[in-house]
Amino acid sequence: MNGCPVHFDPLSPEQLADPYPLYARMRDECPVFHDAEHDLWIVTRYEDVMTVVRDPKTFSSENAVRASVQPLPAPVLAVLAEGWPLTPTLTDSDGDVHRRLRLLVSKAFTPRRVQELEDTVRRTADELIDGFAGEGRADVIDRFAWHLPLITIADVLGVPREDVPLLHRWSYSWLRLMQATDPVEDLVACASDVVSMQRYFMDALGRRERDGGSDLMAELLTARIAGGEPLTRVEAMRVPMNLIIAGHVTVTRAIGNGLTTLLADPGQLEAVRRDPALVPTMVEEILRFESPAQGLFRTVREDTELGGVGIPAGARVMVHWGSGNRDERVFPDAARFDVARDSAASHLAFGKGVHACLGAPLARLQLRIAIPRLLDRLPGLRLAEGADTAVRDTIFFARGFKKLTLAWDAEAA
Ligand code: HEM
């Protein structure tokens, strides 16, 4: 496999701009590819991704969000030691530990609870758009795309809205800590933010232990599965952290990816404008075509074989949802963006198997509202002219914009 002539370098400007031709080559020529630079086995075909996620015993979720398993630098670990262990969370646990967490969180985070959010999401989206519609030009990531999902999940958890900007900053510090490519002094600052986030939720849960409450945080403390123990406060603390981070950075990216993809394809944009019944398939197609979570990681527990390639115990695997979603073997004409394509049941953007996204119904609800509202309320929406209007975020396993300046006809808005 090392003979495969590709250079997997997801943070390079070329691959940030358009990684898909490279993934197509990898799927054809080296579908299970050992990338020596990152010491990662990159799994790019749909079928192989499915094999991995269907076998969590062999492919453990330990360190599922860490590209590297090199220990963090000592000064960073020293700061983290002032807080509580970062794991286990839903995302990075296995077996019974994961099952118990997932059942308990699912009890509090029910589909009914999500459905009840529809009006709030609609109102929040409109209030945010009111804030900039008259300006004719704005960075929609900074003014809209992170606020909407974060306000939504904060409301469910029972977090006051004035704390939302702080949670946004802490979430990005957590992501940077997981990626661990920044200089040590920056990582120390990130670790300090993460510990602040832990303290914030320990305090918030402590208040609910004392005073009760009806929000998701209060329910997390009391949820039980037959005969089992409820979550401890430390276990419960990791849940809102997990939901806040997983639930907002992904939706933020999906909004930016969706807008840029639609604006680059006027025919598809026009099709969905003409027929709003296409909005649900449009959302799935955005997620398939430009998956916000490009891939996550697994640790191999025993020597195994995947796609005819031997992988040793202890190896690290990247399951590449973004590449699997472009696999021509499964999605006909996979490189074509088609708002009428119905891939909700098959695409990998929310993962598959025991760890499949717990927030998918909430993400879908938000995207089905957010993107049409932006298109309706900002007539003549287009990419703004000028340098640095669309700047990609440089997170190894995610795909999206940290800045996306759009323009529209303000008088008509
Ligand atoms: C477009 C938006 C979203 C995308 C693309 C996305 C993607 C994913 C993916 C790929 C996984 C699987 C991880 C794995 O197999 O290792 C996952 C898991 C998860 N997601 Fe999402 N997600 C989104 C939105 C949300 C939202 C809104 C929430 C909650 C508020 C959420 C909460 C979670 C949680 C808790 C897990 C872990 C589930 C488990 O391990 O059992 N996600 N997500």
Side-chain angles (χ1 to χ4, degrees):
M1 282 300 107
N2 288 331
C4 191
V6 298
H7 183 206
F8 178 74
D9 188 10
L11 300 185
S12 68
E14 303 75 37
Q15 289 181 32
L16 276 176
D18 182 9
Y20 298 109
L22 177 93
Y23 300 157
R25 275 190 64 200
M26 289 169 82
R27 284 192 302 274
D28 286 344
E29 297 173 31
C30 44
V32 179
F33 167 70
H34 183 244
D35 169 40
E37 191 178 327
H38 302 97
D39 197 8
L40 272 179
W41 296 78
I42 320 284
V43 179
T44 50
R45 277 192 193 166
Y46 187 99
E47 188 191 336
D48 294 331
V49 168
M50 289 300 285
T51 305
V52 171
V53 296
R54 281 188 185 127
D55 182 4
K57 276 209 169 87
T58 308
F59 298 96
S60 154
S61 277
E62 189 185 343
N63 284 313
V65 281
R66 289 209 54 207
S68 156
V69 280
Q70 292 304 318
L72 290 163
V76 178
L77 291 175
V79 173
L80 289 177
E82 292 166 18
W84 293 265
L86 295 173
T87 60
T89 68
L90 269 171
T91 320
D92 52 29
S93 56
D94 292 320
D96 288 343
V97 174
H98 173 256
R99 246 188 311 279
R100 170 171 173 266
L101 273 175
R102 180 136 180 150
L103 275 171
L104 286 168
V105 177
S106 309
K107 276 200 142 214
F109 195 44
T110 56
R112 206 190 56 166
R113 180 158 237 150
V114 171
Q115 209 39 55
E116 284 167 2
L117 291 170
E118 185 165 347
D119 288 345
T120 317
V121 173
R122 229 174 261 291
R123 205 173 36 249
T124 309
D126 274 326
E127 283 166 8
L128 289 166
I129 298 172
D130 289 343
F132 58 81
E135 296 173 24
R137 181 185 165 106
D139 173 359
V140 289
I141 302 296
D142 188 44
R143 303 289 291 278
F144 182 88
W146 68 256
H147 299 264
L148 179 71
L150 192 44
I151 289 172
T152 308
I153 190 71
D155 280 359
V156 182
L157 286 164
V159 166
R161 288 207 177 176
E162 61 268 23
D163 294 343
V164 159
L166 198 56
L167 291 167
H168 176 61
R169 197 189 86 206
W170 287 341
S171 300
Y172 272 80
S173 292
W174 181 92
L175 269 184
R176 287 171 61 200
L177 190 65
M178 290 302 116
Q179 170 140 310
T181 47
D182 291 316
V184 174
E185 57 277 19
D186 292 353
L187 293 179
V188 166
C190 290
S192 168
D193 278 353
V194 169
V195 172
S196 301
M197 194 172 184
Q198 291 183 319
R199 288 199 183 114
Y200 178 93
F201 283 113
M202 285 299 279
D203 290 349
L205 288 159
R207 283 194 297 279
R208 280 150 184 88
E209 269 174 2
R210 208 181 50 231
D211 308 332
S214 58
D215 53 35
L216 192 143
M217 271 199 274
E219 274 179 43
L220 281 173
L221 289 167
T222 51
R224 275 169 197 272
I225 29 178
E229 289 296 310
L231 295 170
T232 64
R233 181 147 44 123
V234 175
E235 285 175 322
M237 171 268 288
R238 296 191 194 101
V239 177
M241 286 186 63
N242 199 193
L243 294 179
I244 289 267
I245 298 164
H248 110 265
V249 301
T250 46
V251 178
T252 305
R253 286 180 164 74
I255 294 172
N257 292 350
L259 291 171
T260 47
T261 307
L262 286 163
L263 294 176
D265 198 333
Q268 293 296 309
L269 177 57
E270 190 44 38
V272 81
R273 277 195 202 281
R274 257 200 328 266
D275 182 5
L278 290 173
V279 166
T281 48
M282 171 198 76
V283 165
E284 304 304 323
E285 182 66 345
I286 289 168
L287 294 169
R288 181 194 73 85
F289 193 76
E290 282 282 24
S291 307
Q294 285 276 293
L296 284 172
F297 308 96
R298 298 292 190 262
T299 301
V300 177
R301 288 286 183 227
E302 55 193 47
D303 291 357
T304 189
E305 209 189 274
L306 185 65
V309 176
I311 306 183
R316 298 274 298 153
V317 164
M318 181 179 193
V319 271
H320 213 297
W321 323 116
S323 171
N325 276 335
R326 295 282 193 118
D327 193 338
E328 306 73 10
R329 294 154 195 83
V330 176
F331 303 102
D333 213 357
R336 195 165 71 84
F337 178 66
D338 175 1
V339 292
R341 187 195 299 263
D342 186 2
S343 66
S346 53
H347 75 65
L348 302 169
F350 290 119
K352 288 278 183 201
V354 292
H355 286 278
C357 182
L358 205 66
L362 178 56
R364 288 182 160 125
L365 174 75
Q366 296 181 85
L367 294 170
R368 288 174 187 178
I369 292 172
I371 294 176
R373 280 318 272 154
L374 288 163
L375 294 173
D376 281 355
R377 294 206 45 203
L378 306 174
L381 195 64
R382 56 197 176 270
L383 285 179
E385 286 174 17
D388 293 337
T389 47
V391 181
R392 286 203 174 271
D393 208 347
T394 46
I395 297 290
F396 191 88
F397 48 85
R399 182 160 173 78
F401 294 91
K402 70 174 169 216
K403 181 174 171 189
L404 181 62
T405 311
L406 300 182
W408 57 91
D409 307 327
E411 309 76 53

